[in-house]
Amino acid sequence: MAHFAKLNSDNVVEQVIVVNNEEVPDEATGIAFCKSLFGEETEWIQTSYNGNFRGQFAGVGMTYDPVEDIFK
């Protein structure tokens, strides 16, 4: 399963959803899929449940740092 974090305008995580891997073969497709469900104006980024990338799994209230490409 793939996990995607919805970010607000301050890069704070508002929501994390799970998407079937069959729907999202890569991050760009997953982001497009999330936007198709929640609106084109929303911002999404993939997060790793196992913490394999972007530092750690995103949780509501955490901040995404685009410079370091991690969740804090």
Side-chain angles (χ1 to χ4, degrees):
M1 303 306 272
H3 298 82
F4 289 85
K6 180 183 176 189
L7 306 176
N8 69 16
S9 60
D10 294 322
N11 288 331
V12 175
V13 177
E14 294 184 333
Q15 180 180 12
V16 178
I17 65 168
V18 180
V19 181
N20 189 319
N21 284 339
E22 293 174 9
E23 298 288 335
V24 293
D26 55 46
E27 184 173 19
T29 304
I31 290 169
F33 180 78
C34 292
K35 286 181 175 228
S36 75
L37 296 175
F38 294 93
E40 289 298 319
E41 72 286 350
T42 57
E43 293 297 323
W44 296 87
I45 190 159
Q46 190 168 8
T47 184
S48 171
Y49 185 76
N50 297 320
N52 293 331
F53 55 90
R54 298 207 165 100
Q56 60 184 320
F57 183 69
V60 173
M62 294 178 75
T63 301
Y64 172 67
D65 181 336
V67 173
E68 294 185 44
D69 194 26
I70 61 171
F71 291 99
K72 299 179 180 179

